[in-house]
Amino acid sequence: MTRRRGEIPLLLAMTYRAMTEALHDRIAAEGREPLRPAHGYTFRLLLDRADVTSVDLADHLGVTKQAASKIVAELEGWGYVERRPHPTDGRARVLALTDKGHAYVRHADEMWAEIEDRWAAVIGARRLDDIHHDLRAYVEEVAGGRAVLRPVW
Amino acid sequence: MTRRRGEIPLLLAMTYRAMTEALHDRIAAEGREPLRPAHGYTFRLLLDRADVTSVDLADHLGVTKQAASKIVAELEGWGYVERRPHPTDGRARVLALTDKGHAYVRHADEMWAEIEDRWAAVIGARRLDDIHHDLRAYVEEVAGGRAVLRPVW
DNA sequence: TAAAATGGTCAACCTGATTGACTACCACCG
DNA sequence: CGGTGGTAGTCAATCAGGTTGACCATTTTA
């Protein structure tokens, strides 16, 4: 099949959209809280760093601190995240995953992995390695490694 | 670099997000109307089919007919789309691209192509062909070819 | 030919975001 | 010290894009 120049971005969107939908179907089937991508990106940031504040999160997600604060409030209400006093800065709060939060991340990772596996079953794991490499190359070399993850709207 | 299982969906999101941002920067730099992905998906549908109604568009975008109608109203206001009386159904209107709409699609295709080219410059056109093939395989074989394109959030 | 289904519009509301104003605290420089 | 400017976080108002629900006009079906 020949490729129309400029068609790739659309296919990326369709693929990611379909994968996200698959995940949300599973989350809904489990009767979980309506976790959105922003929540997932939040989890991932809290896993990577131990000193994250709301402002850091806002920056990471590419939203205002008010929006980030709302997300944190939701996650706190569901028991996935805690706000602890900052050790040295009396204004700030440090965000951290609770045990429940950690457990959820492991669970979500497994669901994503299974979704990815269905792709691997069609094209082969080797191909997926290549794609991984190529996507990283775009994000790092073309997009400058900026990891803003807010949804495309 | 070894690949963590389940990492691909996140990378897809980041890549698509970065590409979309690149496009929007260009659109903004040209001083154009704030066209969103939904507008682009609309153009593409109108290119493919000559008898599209608002309900068809709603279905294609995965939104309600009211939401689709608003999008059409915007595009009509900007002169990209026309609503013509339906030849046989007195209730319906047929949507069609104006000349300005067609010109914009050509322009947008070129912009997407250039964004894609920057990726090709890093990983090679051959790799991009493979990715094209693999993405299509996911969309068709795993996601069942459903082409709902509404944004992920 | 009456009843059900469909295309489209209007209006009210929901939600996730924004902007703007404000408080409390920190950091630096005189 | 101490005041001045910057920063973390909250509250409140508003916006934008979407939804639900009611409705009319037309078309399709029984």
Side-chain angles (χ1 to χ4, degrees):
Chain A
M1 180 188 316
T2 40
R3 168 166 71 86
R4 178 171 64 73
R5 216 173 130 246
E7 198 178 354
I8 301 271
L10 184 65
L11 279 169
L12 284 177
M14 289 174 67
T15 304
Y16 177 61
R17 160 84 185 157
M19 288 181 170
T20 307
E21 216 161 275
L23 185 81
H24 278 86
D25 288 349
R26 294 199 47 172
I27 290 175
E30 291 173 357
R32 285 204 181 252
E33 298 92 354
L35 289 151
R36 284 164 284 144
H39 298 124
Y41 303 149
T42 301
F43 288 159
R44 195 131 325 271
L45 179 65
L46 298 191
L47 271 186
D48 287 351
R49 289 179 38 193
D51 59 341
V52 176
T53 67
S54 296
V55 170
D56 295 333
L57 175 61
D59 199 56
H60 181 68
L61 297 177
V63 299
T64 58
K65 58 184 179 175
Q66 292 90 329
S69 194
K70 260 189 217 176
I71 289 170
V72 170
E74 270 182 318
L75 291 175
E76 196 180 25
W78 291 329
Y80 292 118
V81 164
E82 277 179 348
R83 276 191 269 210
R84 308 196 187 128
H86 193 286
T88 63
D89 188 333
R91 296 164 302 178
R93 311 289 199 86
V94 169
L95 308 178
L97 288 177
T98 61
D99 287 345
K100 184 178 172 187
H102 278 284
Y104 182 75
V105 169
R106 281 192 297 275
H107 180 55
D109 278 349
E110 181 54 31
M111 289 194 289
W112 278 123
E114 285 169 19
I115 288 166
E116 192 181 288
D117 286 348
R118 298 191 58 194
W119 197 10
V122 177
I123 63 172
R126 180 58 207 285
R127 259 333 204 338
L128 226 51
D129 289 339
D130 291 345
I131 288 170
H132 176 264
H133 169 272
D134 293 340
L135 289 170
R136 276 206 107 77
Y138 185 87
V139 170
E140 263 145 47
E141 292 176 43
V142 182
R146 291 191 305 108
V148 172
L149 280 169
R150 77 180 301 193
V152 173
W153 243 234
Chain B
M1 180 187 317
T2 40
R3 167 167 70 84
R4 179 171 63 74
R5 216 172 129 245
E7 198 177 355
I8 299 271
L10 184 66
L11 278 170
L12 283 176
M14 289 174 68
T15 304
Y16 178 60
R17 160 84 186 158
M19 288 180 170
T20 307
E21 216 161 274
L23 186 81
H24 278 87
D25 287 350
R26 293 200 47 170
I27 290 176
E30 290 172 358
R32 288 211 177 244
E33 298 90 353
L35 287 152
R36 284 164 288 143
H39 297 124
Y41 303 149
T42 301
F43 288 159
R44 195 128 329 267
L45 179 65
L46 298 190
L47 271 186
D48 286 352
R49 290 179 39 193
D51 59 342
V52 176
T53 67
S54 295
V55 171
D56 295 333
L57 175 62
D59 200 56
H60 181 68
L61 297 178
V63 298
T64 59
K65 58 186 178 174
Q66 293 90 327
S69 195
K70 259 187 218 178
I71 290 169
V72 170
E74 270 181 318
L75 290 175
E76 196 179 25
W78 291 329
Y80 292 119
V81 164
E82 277 179 347
R83 275 193 270 212
R84 308 194 188 130
H86 192 285
T88 64
D89 188 333
R91 296 164 304 178
R93 311 286 200 88
V94 170
L95 308 178
L97 289 176
T98 60
D99 288 346
K100 184 178 172 186
H102 278 284
Y104 181 75
V105 169
R106 281 191 298 275
H107 180 55
D109 277 349
E110 181 53 31
M111 289 193 290
W112 277 124
E114 286 168 18
I115 288 166
E116 194 181 287
D117 286 348
R118 298 191 57 194
W119 197 11
V122 177
I123 63 171
R126 179 58 206 285
R127 262 326 209 336
L128 225 51
D129 288 340
D130 292 345
I131 287 171
H132 177 263
H133 169 272
D134 295 338
L135 290 170
R136 276 207 106 76
Y138 185 87
V139 170
E140 262 145 47
E141 292 174 44
V142 182
R146 292 190 305 107
V148 172
L149 281 169
R150 78 179 300 193
V152 172
W153 229 246

